[in-house]
Structure formats: C-alpha cells, structure tokens
Amino acid sequence: MIEFSHVTKDFRGTRALDDVSFTVAPGSVTGFLGPNGAGKSTALRVLTGLSRPASGSATVLGRPYADLGCPALLVGTLLDAGALHPGRTGREVLTLGAMTLGLPRSRVDEVLDLVGLTRTESRRTAGGYSLGMRQRLGIGHALLGRPRVLVLDEPANGLDPQGIRWMRELLGDLAASGCAVLLSSHLLHEVEQVADRIVMIGRGRVLADGTLDELGRGRSLEQTFLDLTADADRSAA
C-alpha cells in the first residue's frame, strides 16, 4: 500500500506539489502520468524520504519510508537508472546489493535471469551498458529483496519493443502476486497497456484518479489527458 495524503512541496517559492492525495493498493499497477515538470519525480522523492514535504504525508505500508527499518526488503525503487556506478559490473552491482540486504548470492543469478541479462552481459561494466540494459539492471536491483511495493520512474526509457513487452509482463506478474506497483511515466500509451488505475498530475496537482474506463468515459484516454493538462495550464496562467 502506498498513500499520499494532502502532500504539498515548495521549491524556492514555486509550488511543486499542491495537495496531492492518492493511494496504490496491493495487487495493482497504478500509472502516475503527467508531462515533464508535472511533479511526478518530486512526489516519488517525497515518498522515498529523499525530500520533505511542506505539509501532508506519504507512507508505504502504513509508515514513512525512513521508518521501515530496512526499506529495500519491502520497497523496490528505480528512480534513476543512470545512477549506477559505471565502473562496476552488473553482477557486482547486484552482489553488493544482495550483501547489503543479507541475501544469499544465489539471488543475484535469479534476478539476472528475471530481468534478462546474460552471464556475459553481467560481467561487463555498467558504464558500457545501453540505457535499456541499465534499466533492466536497475529494475533487477529494485527486485533483489522480493519487495511488497515497487516504485519505478520512467522504466520504459531506452527499452526496445521486446524489452517493453517484457516489462509489461513482469509488472503484471508482480501485481498478480500481491505487489503494489507505482509506475511513473509521461508515456501515456505505455502506461495504459499495463495499469489498473491511472493518476494524472499536472502543475503539481492531481487532475484525475481512476480506472481506464472511468477516465475515458467515451473518449480516448489521450484526449482526456490533453484536456486536463490544458485546463491546468490555463488555470496556472
């Protein structure tokens, strides 16, 4: 379970998040959809304890992220695939993560298989990986602890069509096993292919929250999204 409750966040006099409230239930994939600069990444930073809100709260499994003890055993996060150490091999990245979490090294091979990185690829340094390979490695790192909650920021970036299909299937399987998945993206088409619910955000405010059918109401989801973001832009002007 993820819950945002009336979260507000300001940066240098600019309101980045404005009374943001929504939940992500166990066993579901919630798409967090909005254009670049809408507030998605700020919300995820608040959720994972990297930034403090001015007011309101964001909790995971009923508690603030920082109060979870060993968060990575409960919450898997991928906020920036480019943050991987470029001089370490993919296997080293996962092995260090497993050691930190007290997991057996056999979990590294399980995760490599899960994300589709070969043994040869795992021996290459992350600095030589394509963006798609870094995404796979980052998702693998997030899954090391078999988390109950998964938070992903733009995980489809750099993935080829086969990789995107793999990611859809993976997220569907995780949700079916009871995991609560929050998928942040500006790519409407990719979100609607996998999400059970969608939260649309613009100018730091939640514009809509519901299932695909609820948000469409006879129109395409794209048109609903364009209309809502245009309304938000006009209100801010």
Side-chain angles (χ1 to χ4, degrees):
M1 166 73 84
I2 294 172
E3 182 174 10
F4 285 83
S5 180
H6 303 289
V7 173
T8 298
K9 175 67 179 178
D10 298 317
F11 282 118
R12 298 176 182 175
T14 299
R15 181 137 294 184
L17 298 175
D18 189 358
D19 197 33
V20 169
S21 295
F22 67 91
T23 62
V24 180
S28 70
V29 179
T30 293
F32 193 33
L33 183 65
N36 291 329
K40 303 186 304 297
S41 294
T42 300
L44 299 190
R45 288 180 62 83
V46 169
L47 177 66
T48 54
L50 297 174
S51 186
R52 288 188 176 184
S55 61
S57 63
T59 58
V60 188
L61 301 171
R63 289 181 286 172
Y65 184 86
D67 293 345
L68 291 175
C70 187
L73 286 175
L74 298 171
V75 185
T77 61
L78 174 62
L79 301 185
D80 181 4
L84 297 167
H85 194 299
R88 291 183 178 139
T89 67
R91 177 173 289 277
E92 287 171 342
V93 169
L94 294 179
T95 298
L96 288 171
M99 291 171 62
T100 300
L101 297 176
L103 300 173
R105 295 200 178 193
S106 59
R107 181 59 180 158
V108 172
D109 287 323
E110 293 173 357
V111 167
L112 287 170
D113 290 339
L114 183 63
V115 300
L117 288 175
T118 68
R119 299 299 184 267
T120 298
E121 290 168 338
S122 75
R123 290 191 289 270
R124 291 169 49 191
T125 58
Y129 279 9
S130 66
L131 177 55
M133 290 174 67
R134 291 199 299 273
Q135 292 283 27
R136 287 176 180 264
L137 181 60
I139 292 172
H141 194 274
L143 295 175
L144 274 171
R146 296 185 175 88
R148 294 166 55 190
V149 174
L150 189 62
V151 179
L152 304 175
D153 193 6
E154 303 285 2
N157 281 356
L159 292 179
D160 59 20
Q162 180 181 2
I164 290 173
R165 286 194 299 272
W166 161 79
M167 187 188 70
R168 290 175 188 163
E169 293 174 359
L170 174 67
L171 297 185
D173 290 344
L174 289 168
S177 72
C179 189
V181 181
L182 179 58
L183 170 64
S184 174
S185 180
H186 67 284
L187 301 174
L188 185 149
H189 177 70
E190 293 309 323
V191 170
E192 67 179 334
Q193 295 300 311
V194 69
D196 304 298
R197 297 186 66 85
I198 289 181
V199 176
M200 294 184 179
I201 187 172
R203 298 281 183 173
R205 289 179 290 167
V206 172
L207 306 178
D209 179 0
T211 65
L212 296 176
D213 288 341
E214 289 169 345
L215 296 181
R217 294 178 182 174
R219 297 184 300 169
S220 70
L221 187 61
E222 180 179 10
Q223 190 58 55
T224 299
F225 177 63
L226 291 173
D227 289 346
L228 288 171
T229 52
D231 289 344
D233 288 342
R234 283 193 293 270
S235 296

